[in-house]
Amino acid sequence: MTEKLFATPRIRNTIQDQHQEEKNNKAYPSSKVVIQNYIICSPRQTDKIIHIDNITYLSNPPQQGVLLISTIEGHTFIKFQSYLNQNIVPVISPSQTPKLEEENKENEICFCIEDTPTYKVSNETNEIQIIFIPGRTIPVNIKPIKFKKGSFSKFCEFLKQLGIHFCNGNISIDKRRLAIMVDIPKYLNELCNQKQKDKRIDWCKQIQFDNIKKINKNYQWNNENESIIRKGLFYKGVDNDCRCSLWSKCLGNSIDKNIFEKIKLQVNNLVDIQIQHCKILKEEIEQILKDVKRTTINKSVLEYWNCPIEKIKNCIELLMKCWILYDLDKGYQQGMSDILVGIMECSMDDYELFSIFVQLIELMSSIFNSKIPFDCIIGPIVKTLDLELEEYFSMKKIGYSFMYKWLILLFRRDFVSEKCIRLWDAIIAYPKNKFHYFIAVSMLLEHRDIILSNRLDLDDISIFFLQLENKFDDHLLIDADIALSTFKQKSSKEDQDLVFA
């Protein structure tokens, strides 16, 4: 049974030969300058290379040599390579350029200019000294570089042609007009992370995954069985005929049925004049009516309800109106109707549907109604689990807004129905763990290599994940479980308070 979670027969491939890939990884392992063969459209500038002579790299001792500027898939790399013989005449003509060292990597420096968003410059009589300042941790220690004044102007002019500008200590890069496109089927087929796969196998052995039982209606909810039921629900799920009743028990504090009936009666007795005279109520109901019309009723709900789609949408409209009368302060927000549809996959009882909906919205209150910025919740988790990715996002000023849709819809657009419902089982089994955050971060981390290798920006990332809708796998449940455990062990109390509040 465990094999289903790990069955990912995928192999990463690139158009580089193995020797070249090893060379690149060794020279700059944090970005792995890789041109992957599932990139089918890359509207970037043509690859170029230029060298600038008479450069002094202020290592210890200082080295003289040339500065090589190259572009790979639109990303600009700067490399210093020292002369073979350091006892050279300070001023030379191009025809007298000394030979460069071929093998001594200690005298080389190579970095991507996107990793140095700021710089410091100082002028001397005939020279200009520049210090490139990294915006994140990179595997090289960049020393100051001295240019002859003529060389520096040539250097800046060439970079300007590439859309790179130096101004008042900041390095800005012109935005590409078009985002990159990825051959998603090919990419997913080749995606492989053996290290993460091994982690899943070890984790399942540790929790004795194969010994955990799926929950059915024969399990009685009591103090003795509660921990067994929650664990079974989390890892193995529950039969659909008792799913909603178990969800309600795990979430706790269900709404009283008499209160619900009174609210429903109020909704049915609303008259137009009441709605017209209450601006907030009018706006809320208008938004509900718009959203219900465009809410997708998936195949699972249609099969479970076995009735005309109009009846299902009438139920959604009724329960959403009940919600705004129940809590007008929180009100209706886009995405809520989608969450209700998810509950409708396993219940047709309007009280049960409404009660679980209210409990789920309470669980997700930090998303729907939090005063804490979304990035302040996701950021600490990413930082704890993948510092390199968090530093890259911070340097590029990329926020986590592209993940908001995942959470506001509780992954209903990202996983097929049967996989999504299993994630809901896990989220509801232990509400205090805020497991939905760790699922979202695990979705991001699974694809961190393509983001870093191709230096994707926010537009690239948003389009990339849009193409992955309904293509995520449920092995992310185990990844998120590992992520949660790691975060609890390694994060600060302050970060935990933010996430689990």
Side-chain angles (χ1 to χ4, degrees), residues 235-346:
Y235 289 110
K236 291 294 180 70
V238 60
D239 290 343
N240 207 47
D241 59 355
C242 59
R243 177 169 266 123
C244 276
S245 62
L246 187 55
W247 280 0
S248 189
K249 287 183 173 67
C250 286
L251 289 166
N253 299 319
S254 60
I255 183 174
D256 185 88
K257 187 170 185 178
N258 290 329
I259 293 175
F260 169 70
E261 293 297 338
K262 289 177 182 178
I263 294 172
K264 189 166 71 168
L265 186 62
Q266 282 181 301
V267 170
N268 289 328
N269 289 333
L270 278 173
V271 293
D272 289 342
I273 193 70
Q274 287 178 286
I275 298 171
Q276 294 302 321
H277 285 173
C278 181
K279 184 180 178 181
I280 296 176
L281 187 60
K282 179 184 176 183
E283 290 174 351
E284 295 282 313
I285 289 178
E286 285 176 351
Q287 188 61 57
I288 287 171
L289 295 177
K290 286 180 184 177
D291 278 7
V292 169
K293 285 181 181 178
R294 58 194 181 199
T295 297
T296 302
I297 310 299
N298 60 10
K299 184 180 177 182
S300 298
V301 174
L302 290 171
E303 290 178 350
Y304 186 78
W305 281 59
N306 192 26
C307 68
I309 195 168
E310 290 76 15
K311 181 179 178 181
I312 298 172
K313 293 208 169 187
N314 287 339
C315 180
I316 297 171
E317 181 183 326
L318 171 67
L319 295 182
M320 289 297 93
K321 287 178 179 177
C322 288
W323 164 250
I324 59 175
L325 290 189
Y326 174 78
D327 196 336
L328 193 56
D329 286 340
K330 290 180 182 176
Y332 175 80
Q333 295 185 40
Q334 287 182 305
M336 288 183 172
S337 58
D338 285 272
I339 290 175
L340 180 61
V341 172
I343 307 169
M344 294 172 87
E345 291 185 17
C346 48

Side-chain angles (χ1 to χ4, degrees), residues 2 40 65 69 103 131 159 162 252 344 375 378 424 439 443:
T2 16
I40 57 175
I69 307 169
E103 303 296 334
I131 303 173
L159 290 182
L162 299 176
M344 294 172 87
D375 286 9
I378 298 297
W424 282 29
I439 294 170
M443 289 164 67

